[in-house]
Amino acid sequence: MNFTLHHKDSQTKARVGSLETEHGVIQTPIFMPVGTAGSVKAVHQRELKEDVKAQIILGNTYHLFLRPGLSIIEQAGGLHKFNGWDRPILTDSGGYQVFSLAENRKITEEGVVFKSHIDGSKQQFTPENVMDIQRTIGADIIMAFDECTPYPCEWPYAKKSMDLTHRWLKRCIKRFDETSGRYGYEQHLFPIVQGSVYKDLRTESAEFVAEQGRVGNAIGGLSVGEPAELMYEMTEWVTAILPEDRPRYLMGVGTPANVLECIALGVDMFDCVMPTRNARNGMLFTTEGIINIRNEKWKDDFSAIDLGFENEVSNFYTKAYLRHLTIAKEMLAAQIASIHNLSFYLWLVGQAREHIQSGDFPQWKRHMVEKVSRRR
Amino acid sequence: MNFTLHHKDSQTKARVGSLETEHGVIQTPIFMPVGTAGSVKAVHQRELKEDVKAQIILGNTYHLFLRPGLSIIEQAGGLHKFNGWDRPILTDSGGYQVFSLAENRKITEEGVVFKSHIDGSKQQFTPENVMDIQRTIGADIIMAFDECTPYPCEWPYAKKSMDLTHRWLKRCIKRFDETSGRYGYEQHLFPIVQGSVYKDLRTESAEFVAEQGRVGNAIGGLSVGEPAELMYEMTEWVTAILPEDRPRYLMGVGTPANVLECIALGVDMFDCVMPTRNARNGMLFTTEGIINIRNEKWKDDFSAIDLGFENEVSNFYTKAYLRHLTIAKEMLAAQIASIHNLSFYLWLVGQAREHIQSGDFPQWKRHMVEKVSRRR
């Protein structure tokens, strides 16, 4: 996997790069739509390509492991073959979902024992089997198994958890490096920086992660309820330590404004369920601000959802029609809103790339953060 | 509206025609996807055109009248403008839904008083206001307001109901002919033959309907629970009376086999919720028979959903992936299955047209009815 830095902004830490994988090149900064169970909810694979212009999508290891299960994915020849998405895929490690979804979870040095939220079956994740599972799923980018601390989190627990995550990381790396790709293409492991909102811990973790010398690095444990300012502060602190010549992935972030601010702090990759989850609740992110399409005020607004960027779906359907579909609980509402929100996110990071290259990123970002944060 | 008969099968009553409307030409025999609330559930408008190849869709007057309501549709400039579907639209009269969905309905000579199933509000449908409502919705083809009798239904009630439907039809025609299209294009009224499963009543009703000399005619009150053989018998009986030079629309029919059999009986137009509703429950109609995709046997079947006809969606996704999405309750499951089922129906009527024209319709139909009826 080759990461090439093409341009660095002179005033901020924003940068433009490209990340080569065997399933295609990813232009950074990039937003990655979340396809939890092997499907980006309500969006066809061809729509992800042609409308959303997604370059890489996520899969959730926890969900895929439980259903359809590894045997099916393996027989299919990996997730790309199973779901028909032939561009890059990143899988998370399952750690986050174990802590948020599973029942009766018990964390030990060895790993985590938990009960499936689907059928109650007892399961175990360890650094080793999570590497094997992601190898079998066939992701291009594989995440280390970590514990994601909640917010707030006392320093002693954050420290203890980070130390465990570091020991797990060593085991992840050992297992990953002893094994190889299952389907004829290379896979890559990203370690994750933890340390909650404590600068001393973040420093220790970022240095530890950087020392591993992997092809890319991730920042975890943020966007878990802390104030945005604290998230920015930690992100800036960590990106200053992580190597400049490797892509940096900020996990689970965020709103359009969050994404723009963190691009300015040197982040290259983002994922978040917000554009799709909020779409299903009728919240639209647009070039003119945030819309709750259920609001009465849109019932007779026959203007397009968003004319601020070129996109067939956003330019075609009207706000009044989308409101009607949403109120009437028509599935097409979620389909339209999901395509729109994701397209908007991908358009936004594409614009960021252009403005970093043209040299006016800071001014553009200031203006855009204000525009896209407005409630309409 | 011009209906041109291009070809008649020599052995059956099947025929190929074309029906010209100001929103485009409809090749018959045709299947019309149902877009209840202004959206064919789970299918984008462009998918209806490009994948399904729908030539005309339905809207339900009852649903659209209650939500979004006439004021919104009128302000949009009619349903075509509201939902972005620029090909022909047919609306039913709302009668069927009033009897199946509304509460506290009371039928009188004047019309039907009922309570909305959405907000409990008291509403009234009369032959006159139902014409006005459909005028305002802007359908190309408008259906007469009728009472659809259930099955079974005693002769005296069927007779009484048919007589009322006939009196209502006269009022529909009067109102329709006194008014004109709201949006600059012509609209057309189809009367509906009733009479339950009684040949004497069906004769009386078909003759009464034929006498009105409208541009097209419909057969209602079938596919309401009666055996298929009885439905075929009534359909054959009625098509023998309805004028040959006008399109015949059999309402609410049916399975792929039902559609083929009724094409052979001289029917030109069909609608049914089955392809979309059953899709949402995991039932697929394919060129090789009927599939319940939830079935365990498909979990590791990595063959395409259907390779029996050219269709991007049916040819792209595998049975194993669609089963996984269905079991995992992913919205994409309903989207894929709905496009597939509708595409299959439209492919099937297209094939019927070709075989009527090439002269081997009866043999082809016999073979195809058997193939598509199999449970796999």
Side-chain angles (χ1 to χ4, degrees):
Chain A
M1 188 165 81
N2 244 323
F3 181 63
T4 313
L5 266 185
H6 300 295
H7 204 92
K8 294 194 291 181
D9 184 50
S10 57
Q11 293 172 260
T12 70
K13 289 165 71 185
R15 61 253 198 96
V16 166
S18 57
L19 185 60
E20 282 170 49
T21 78
E22 289 184 57
H23 283 103
V25 178
I26 301 155
Q27 309 292 341
T28 64
I30 191 67
F31 180 83
M32 306 181 282
V34 178
T36 299
S39 152
V40 174
K41 289 188 197 304
V43 184
H44 278 281
Q45 273 68 328
R46 63 183 180 187
E47 291 171 335
L48 281 173
K49 286 187 176 181
E50 292 160 27
D51 297 290
V52 173
K53 298 180 177 29
Q55 301 182 25
I56 171 172
I57 64 171
L58 250 77
N60 285 126
T61 291
Y62 171 86
H63 289 85
L64 292 165
F65 170 73
L66 295 178
R67 194 169 53 194
L70 294 190
S71 160
I72 297 295
I73 294 176
E74 194 171 14
Q75 287 174 65
L79 184 56
H80 294 87
K81 288 282 193 325
F82 183 61
N83 72 2
W85 173 256
D86 58 8
R87 292 185 185 173
I89 295 176
L90 180 152
T91 42
D92 65 5
S93 67
Y96 185 81
Q97 273 77 26
V98 165
F99 295 108
S100 60
L101 290 177
E103 289 157 27
N104 292 17
R105 61 190 173 273
K106 197 173 165 240
I107 187 166
T108 65
E109 184 65 32
E110 175 61 12
V112 184
V113 175
F114 60 95
K115 276 171 78 173
S116 158
H117 77 288
I118 295 170
D119 63 4
S121 61
K122 197 178 152 183
Q123 306 287 348
Q124 185 175 28
F125 276 170
T126 66
E128 289 79 13
N129 84 351
V130 162
M131 291 302 98
D132 297 346
I133 291 167
Q134 291 181 84
R135 284 279 198 203
T136 302
I137 292 173
D140 299 271
I141 299 173
I142 282 176
M143 301 306 298
F145 188 59
D146 65 337
E147 187 189 1
C148 177
T149 48
Y151 179 84
C153 175
E154 296 293 325
W155 190 94
Y157 188 84
K159 165 71 174 158
K160 190 179 151 214
S161 169
M162 181 197 74
D163 287 338
L164 178 65
T165 286
H166 290 176
R167 291 193 299 276
W168 282 357
L169 175 57
K170 296 302 278 186
R171 287 165 57 191
C172 284
I173 288 173
K174 181 165 185 294
R175 181 60 152 244
F176 181 85
D177 287 346
E178 284 168 1
T179 53
S180 55
R182 302 287 300 274
Y183 309 108
Y185 51 86
E186 237 189 311
Q187 298 177 297
H188 308 278
L189 173 64
F190 280 25
I192 303 171
V193 175
Q194 289 290 348
S196 187
V197 294
Y198 304 103
K199 282 189 177 172
D200 55 344
L201 297 182
R202 286 283 173 184
T203 302
E204 188 183 341
S205 190
E207 285 173 350
F208 184 84
V209 158
E211 277 163 24
Q212 310 306 316
R214 309 307 299 192
V215 293
N217 301 295
I219 307 168
L222 293 175
S223 205
V224 291
E226 77 283 2
E229 287 313 316
L230 205 45
M231 187 251 285
Y232 298 147
E233 200 184 331
M234 291 299 122
T235 300
E236 186 169 18
W237 192 260
V238 169
T239 57
I241 300 169
L242 291 177
E244 203 182 26
D245 62 345
R246 312 283 161 103
R248 301 167 184 143
Y249 163 31
L250 179 56
M251 304 180 79
V253 172
T255 64
N258 293 158
V259 168
L260 293 180
E261 294 295 1
C262 293
I263 287 173
L265 302 175
V267 172
D268 307 296
M269 302 164 72
F270 300 87
D271 82 284
C272 190
V273 293
M274 203 179 273
T276 39
R277 181 177 293 165
N278 291 18
R280 295 195 299 280
N281 296 324
M283 184 189 278
L284 305 180
F285 299 101
T286 79
T287 56
E288 299 295 331
I290 298 168
I291 286 180
N292 179 349
I293 200 67
R294 308 182 71 89
N295 197 308
E296 178 93 7
K297 73 191 272 199
W298 307 115
K299 73 172 181 186
D300 55 359
D301 187 324
F302 302 107
S303 66
I305 295 167
D306 197 343
L307 288 175
F309 67 114
E310 233 178 88
N311 185 269
E312 194 181 313
V313 167
S314 313
N315 301 164
F316 178 77
Y317 295 107
T318 66
K319 298 184 185 77
Y321 181 58
L322 180 55
R323 176 182 190 271
H324 160 65
L325 295 177
T326 305
I327 299 290
K329 298 187 176 62
E330 286 287 326
M331 293 183 64
L332 188 57
Q335 297 172 238
I336 294 171
S338 298
I339 289 183
H340 165 75
N341 277 355
L342 287 175
S343 302
F344 173 69
Y345 267 70
L346 268 292
W347 170 82
L348 194 66
V349 294
Q351 288 293 106
R353 288 195 297 269
E354 283 185 25
H355 287 280
I356 295 166
Q357 273 172 318
S358 65
D360 65 344
F361 175 74
Q363 305 86 293
W364 173 81
K365 190 209 73 174
R366 204 173 312 123
H367 169 68
M368 195 50 99
V369 162
E370 197 221 301
K371 262 183 86 175
V372 302
S373 307
R374 276 205 302 254
R375 301 258 161 186
R376 293 181 62 201
Chain B
M1 190 164 80
N2 245 322
F3 181 63
T4 312
L5 265 185
H6 300 295
H7 204 89
K8 293 195 291 181
D9 184 50
S10 57
Q11 292 173 260
T12 71
K13 288 165 72 186
R15 61 250 200 97
V16 165
S18 57
L19 184 60
E20 281 170 49
T21 78
E22 288 185 57
H23 283 102
V25 177
I26 301 155
Q27 309 293 341
T28 65
I30 190 68
F31 180 83
M32 308 181 281
V34 178
T36 300
S39 153
V40 175
K41 290 188 196 301
V43 185
H44 278 282
Q45 274 68 329
R46 63 182 181 188
E47 291 171 335
L48 281 173
K49 285 188 177 181
E50 292 160 27
D51 296 291
V52 173
K53 299 181 179 23
Q55 300 182 25
I56 171 171
I57 64 171
L58 249 77
N60 285 126
T61 291
Y62 172 85
H63 290 85
L64 292 165
F65 169 74
L66 294 178
R67 192 167 55 192
L70 294 190
S71 161
I72 297 296
I73 294 176
E74 192 170 16
Q75 285 174 68
L79 183 56
H80 294 86
K81 288 282 192 326
F82 183 61
N83 71 1
W85 173 257
D86 57 9
R87 292 184 186 173
I89 295 175
L90 180 151
T91 42
D92 66 4
S93 67
Y96 185 81
Q97 273 76 25
V98 165
F99 294 108
S100 59
L101 290 177
E103 290 157 25
N104 293 17
R105 60 191 173 274
K106 199 174 163 239
I107 188 167
T108 64
E109 184 65 32
E110 175 61 12
V112 185
V113 175
F114 60 95
K115 277 172 77 173
S116 158
H117 77 289
I118 295 169
D119 64 3
S121 61
K122 197 177 154 185
Q123 305 287 349
Q124 185 175 26
F125 276 170
T126 65
E128 290 78 15
N129 84 351
V130 161
M131 292 301 99
D132 297 347
I133 291 167
Q134 291 182 83
R135 284 279 198 201
T136 302
I137 292 172
D140 298 271
I141 299 174
I142 281 175
M143 301 306 297
F145 189 59
D146 64 337
E147 187 189 1
C148 177
T149 48
Y151 179 85
C153 176
E154 296 294 324
W155 190 94
Y157 188 82
K159 163 71 174 159
K160 190 179 149 214
S161 169
M162 183 196 73
D163 287 339
L164 179 66
T165 287
H166 290 176
R167 291 193 299 277
W168 281 358
L169 175 57
K170 297 301 281 183
R171 287 165 57 191
C172 284
I173 289 172
K174 180 166 187 292
R175 182 59 153 244
F176 182 84
D177 288 346
E178 283 168 2
T179 53
S180 55
R182 302 287 300 273
Y183 310 108
Y185 52 85
E186 235 188 312
Q187 299 176 296
H188 308 279
L189 173 64
F190 280 24
I192 303 171
V193 175
Q194 288 291 348
S196 187
V197 294
Y198 304 104
K199 283 190 178 173
D200 56 343
L201 297 182
R202 286 284 173 184
T203 301
E204 187 183 342
S205 190
E207 285 172 352
F208 184 84
V209 158
E211 276 162 26
Q212 310 306 316
R214 308 308 298 192
V215 292
N217 300 296
I219 307 169
L222 293 176
S223 205
V224 291
E226 77 284 2
E229 287 313 317
L230 205 44
M231 188 250 286
Y232 297 148
E233 200 185 331
M234 291 299 122
T235 299
E236 188 169 17
W237 193 259
V238 168
T239 57
I241 300 170
L242 291 177
E244 202 181 28
D245 63 344
R246 313 283 161 102
R248 300 167 186 145
Y249 162 31
L250 179 57
M251 305 180 78
V253 172
T255 64
N258 293 158
V259 167
L260 292 181
E261 294 295 2
C262 293
I263 287 174
L265 302 176
V267 172
D268 307 296
M269 302 165 72
F270 299 88
D271 82 285
C272 192
V273 293
M274 203 179 271
T276 39
R277 181 176 293 166
N278 291 18
R280 295 196 300 281
N281 295 325
M283 183 188 280
L284 305 181
F285 299 102
T286 79
T287 56
E288 299 294 331
I290 298 168
I291 286 180
N292 179 350
I293 200 69
R294 308 182 71 89
N295 196 310
E296 179 93 7
K297 72 190 273 198
W298 307 115
K299 75 174 181 186
D300 55 1
D301 187 323
F302 302 106
S303 66
I305 295 168
D306 197 343
L307 288 176
F309 67 114
E310 233 178 87
N311 185 269
E312 195 182 313
V313 168
S314 313
N315 302 166
F316 178 78
Y317 295 107
T318 66
K319 298 185 185 76
Y321 181 58
L322 180 56
R323 176 181 189 270
H324 161 65
L325 295 177
T326 305
I327 300 290
K329 298 188 177 63
E330 285 288 325
M331 292 182 64
L332 188 57
Q335 297 172 237
I336 293 170
S338 298
I339 289 183
H340 165 75
N341 277 354
L342 287 176
S343 301
F344 173 70
Y345 267 69
L346 268 291
W347 171 81
L348 194 66
V349 294
Q351 287 293 107
R353 288 195 298 269
E354 283 185 25
H355 287 280
I356 295 166
Q357 272 171 318
S358 64
D360 64 344
F361 175 73
Q363 303 88 294
W364 173 82
K365 189 209 75 176
R366 205 173 311 122
H367 170 69
M368 196 49 101
V369 162
E370 197 220 301
K371 262 183 86 173
V372 302
S373 305
R374 277 205 302 255
R375 300 258 162 187
R376 293 182 61 201

